[in-house]
Amino acid sequence: MSSLLSSNFSRSYRKLYYQVLNFGMIVSSALMIWKGLMVITGSESPIVVVLSGSMEPAFHRGDLLFLTNRVEDPIRVGEIVVFRIEGREIPIVHRVLKIHEKQNGHIKFLTKGDNNAVDDRGLYKQGQHWLEKKDVVGRARGFVPYIGIVTILMNDYPKFKYAVLFLLGLFVLVHRE
Amino acid sequence: MREPHDSAARPPRTPNRRGVRAARPPNPHSPGSACSCRRRRCLPTGPEGKNVEDFTGPRERSDLGFITFDITADLENIFDWNVKQLFLYLSAEYSTKNNALNQVVLWDKIVLRGDNPKLLLKDMKTKYFFFDDGNGLKGNRNVTLTLSWNVVPNAGILPLVTGSGHVSVPFPDTYEITKSY
């Protein structure tokens, strides 16, 4: 009787251990895919969500953008760049308006949002008139509408984020192979 | 600091104005010729240069160019089921002593799916100030104007396409003192 109980107990313990390992594998696969994307695209953030309406009617809040940041692609006017201003953590998605490139390859450029009346000089740091390659997170190469709304909702309503994470965790643990 | 010009109609030009006006550059597409199925033409007139303090950015004296242009374009072939809008822009590309490559967007327009795809724009002024980074516009014979567009799909890749046919606008060797636009 006691041996029957102990084998039952070790079986369910083993099953739980197996589920936890499964969960760990899914998380690390997702991380590997993300890191792989970072390497292929050359960008530290290969997928971004549009947060403002400054590029309407092309992009609206919640659209997803796919970025690349390859060194072999020089920055040219008309391109849509995602850049970060020194001291601010939220990146901005705007279009390149002017570039001046020196012989040695050093580029300084100016950006403007399609939906803005003026260029971005007012947004840059005090005394900064141009952006440089180091400020660029990536160039937008592809886009999918609406999908990023989930990320915005999770940011604005933390309870929603916890609910989603909890449900995901529950699903993975309960799911039978 | 020069005050921004008002957008009145261009004043008629008197023959004995100070400063040199560049001759009208040759038209790459003659009016009656059969070009490829996408016809677009950009005709600029008399570019002139001034040297003023760049009031839009760094406070140094830089060259400011004035170009007036016409654009004729038929965009119908570019729109298909997956094109949401086109971002059309006219850019000037040139090189100077200071910088090996300069590109400046002079004018842009958003054409949505459903808008009239045939554009017939005449006597357009540049939407953005054509400031150089330095004094590289004076006497610059190799300023090339190109019409390009960014296709924004409903979903998918965002290609940047450059139109065939560039127009060269040589800038005069002296600065224009009087009003230009």
Side-chain angles (χ1 to χ4, degrees), chain A residues 2-172:
Chain A
S2 64
S3 66
L4 201 63
L5 270 173
S6 70
S7 76
N8 259 345
F9 180 74
S10 68
R11 207 184 302 140
S12 58
Y13 183 71
R14 227 179 271 144
K15 203 188 278 179
L16 176 67
Y17 192 49
Y18 180 74
Q19 300 279 38
V20 169
L21 278 178
N22 233 9
F23 184 70
M25 242 182 65
I26 293 177
V27 170
S28 33
S29 307
L31 260 169
M32 272 173 59
I33 293 176
W34 183 250
K35 291 286 175 186
L37 267 179
M38 277 171 64
V39 168
I40 295 174
T41 63
S43 165
E44 61 182 64
S45 186
I47 305 181
V48 292
V49 178
V50 175
L51 292 175
S52 76
S54 55
M55 282 296 278
E56 288 184 15
F59 308 135
H60 298 83
R61 228 172 101 83
D63 291 346
L64 217 63
L65 289 179
F66 297 93
L67 312 181
T68 66
N69 197 22
R70 299 207 196 89
V71 187
E72 320 82 83
D73 293 332
I75 299 174
R76 295 289 176 250
V77 287
E79 291 188 337
I80 301 170
V81 291
V82 178
F83 59 91
R84 213 177 256 126
I85 298 177
E86 260 175 86
R88 312 241 191 103
E89 56 162 89
I90 314 256
I92 302 179
V93 186
H94 281 173
R95 199 182 290 271
V96 177
L97 193 70
K98 287 177 95 180
I99 66 156
H100 296 290
E101 179 174 345
K102 293 228 182 280
Q103 192 75 28
N104 60 14
H106 177 259
I107 301 186
K108 61 185 188 188
F109 62 98
L110 177 64
T111 56
K112 175 181 168 292
D114 289 352
N115 208 19
N116 294 345
V118 295
D119 61 41
D120 290 344
R121 284 225 165 97
L123 289 176
Y124 300 164
K125 213 169 61 149
Q126 181 77 345
Q128 180 188 11
H129 297 291
W130 305 97
L131 289 175
E132 290 167 18
K133 262 184 266 196
K134 63 174 174 57
D135 301 311
V136 174
V137 173
R139 252 76 60 75
R141 300 292 184 208
F143 113 103
V144 178
Y146 310 128
I147 304 232
I149 280 280
V150 180
T151 314
I152 294 183
L153 282 175
M154 292 213 294
N155 263 336
D156 290 348
Y157 305 105
K159 293 208 182 117
F160 181 68
K161 176 161 69 176
Y162 299 141
V164 168
L165 285 175
F166 177 71
L167 281 173
L168 268 175
L170 207 64
F171 174 75
V172 168

Side-chain angles (χ1 to χ4, degrees), chain B residues 127-149:
Chain B
K127 201 171 178 188
Y128 307 110
F129 285 111
F130 188 177
F131 269 111
D132 181 35
D133 177 39
N135 303 320
L137 286 181
K138 182 169 86 160
N140 198 326
R141 298 278 177 246
N142 259 336
V143 178
T144 314
L145 295 187
T146 320
L147 194 64
S148 318
W149 55 95

Side-chain angles (χ1 to χ4, degrees), chain B residues 145-163:
Chain B
L145 295 187
T146 320
L147 194 64
S148 318
W149 55 95
N150 186 200
V151 180
V152 180
N154 285 317
I157 311 250
L158 291 154
L160 212 62
V161 185
T162 310

Side-chain angles (χ1 to χ4, degrees), chain B residues 11-175:
Chain B
R13 300 192 178 278
T14 53
N16 54 353
R17 287 183 78 182
R18 285 169 76 195
V20 173
R21 283 192 52 218
R24 195 187 170 99
N27 179 1
H29 304 275
S30 58
S33 69
C35 308
S36 61
C37 60
R38 300 176 184 172
R39 282 164 300 145
R40 53 194 69 80
R41 213 166 53 208
C42 171
L43 300 172
T45 49
E48 283 147 2
K50 286 182 179 284
N51 185 262
V52 291
E53 210 177 273
D54 183 352
F55 45 82
T56 65
R59 297 274 173 170
E60 300 140 4
R61 291 193 77 87
S62 313
D63 281 358
L64 174 60
F66 294 91
I67 298 182
T68 335
F69 54 93
D70 304 337
I71 292 187
T72 315
D74 184 2
L75 307 167
E76 205 165 335
N77 293 329
I78 312 180
F79 279 99
D80 63 21
W81 61 276
N82 194 22
V83 174
K84 183 165 81 168
Q85 74 169 58
L86 285 188
F87 185 87
L88 216 62
Y89 57 100
L90 181 73
S91 57
E93 183 170 326
Y94 58 99
S95 60
T96 61
K97 215 161 34 105
N98 268 352
N99 295 299
L101 175 69
N102 303 277
Q103 288 185 332
V104 180
V105 172
L106 300 177
W107 169 91
D108 57 41
K109 182 175 170 62
I110 293 179
V111 182
L112 296 169
R113 192 195 199 142
D115 287 353
N116 185 5
K118 298 185 181 5
L119 297 179
L120 195 66
L121 307 163
K122 296 223 175 292
D123 278 344
M124 301 288 290
K125 287 184 284 203
T126 61
K127 201 171 178 188
Y128 307 110
F129 285 111
F130 188 177
F131 269 111
D132 181 35
D133 177 39
N135 303 320
L137 286 181
K138 182 169 86 160
N140 198 326
R141 298 278 177 246
N142 259 336
V143 178
T144 314
L145 295 187
T146 320
L147 194 64
S148 318
W149 55 95
N150 186 200
V151 180
V152 180
N154 285 317
I157 311 250
L158 291 154
L160 212 62
V161 185
T162 310
S164 58
H166 316 267
V167 184
S168 195
V169 285
F171 271 88
D173 290 328
T174 59
Y175 292 123

